[in-house]
Amino acid sequence: MTTAKDIMHTGATWIPAHETLDRAAQLMRDHRVGALPISENGEQGRMVGILTDRDIVVGCVAMGRDPSKVTAGELAQGTPRWIDAEAEVEAVLEEMQTHRIRRLPVVENKKLIGMISEADLAQHLSDDQIACWVEKVYSRN
């Protein structure tokens, strides 16, 4: 049985909701990631969303806003999704497909321990599983 913990990459980093987008971009650069879970109050807080590099560009820069004045929390939208570390890979795929998301935080004992991204799926899944996932996540229907 392959679990979320088996396919995730470790070292996921929180960004507090009050932190600015320029700081978020620096963290993404330093950790070589394209997304950061947003927490209410740092690592101990409740997850309120996920901030992506695309969110910074489209939701801030392209709108003519200053990333040093916009906070991560201002871009947090919807209900954040996550998966338990022991969930089977089929549950991971279902969660990502159902909600059409490309990154999924992995939680163990109420603590963030990693993230699952498209790259992680590509490394650990069969071609058929990846093709099905891509069709469901990227289809326009």
Side-chain angles (χ1 to χ4, degrees), residues 20-109:
T20 59
L21 298 184
D22 60 338
R23 179 65 184 134
Q26 293 164 0
L27 284 170
M28 288 180 191
R29 178 200 60 210
D30 294 348
H31 292 278
R32 298 164 72 174
V33 298
L36 300 168
I38 305 168
S39 70
E40 272 183 334
N41 299 316
E43 292 190 31
Q44 306 305 321
R46 176 179 66 88
M47 184 169 46
V48 296
I50 294 179
L51 179 69
T52 67
D53 46 7
R54 186 176 191 280
D55 293 334
I56 295 170
V57 172
V58 174
C60 178
V61 176
M63 302 299 285
R65 298 173 74 191
D66 182 351
S68 68
K69 294 186 173 28
V70 178
T71 67
E74 290 177 61
L75 294 187
Q77 299 177 20
T79 302
R81 309 306 306 181
W82 55 272
I83 195 94
D84 186 84
E86 296 305 316
E88 293 186 29
V89 72
E90 290 77 15
V92 170
L93 294 174
E94 180 66 26
E95 184 72 15
M96 294 175 86
Q97 290 166 354
T98 300
H99 299 285
R100 299 181 72 164
I101 56 177
R102 296 179 293 165
R103 296 172 178 102
L104 187 62
V106 179
V107 174
E108 185 174 62
N109 299 322

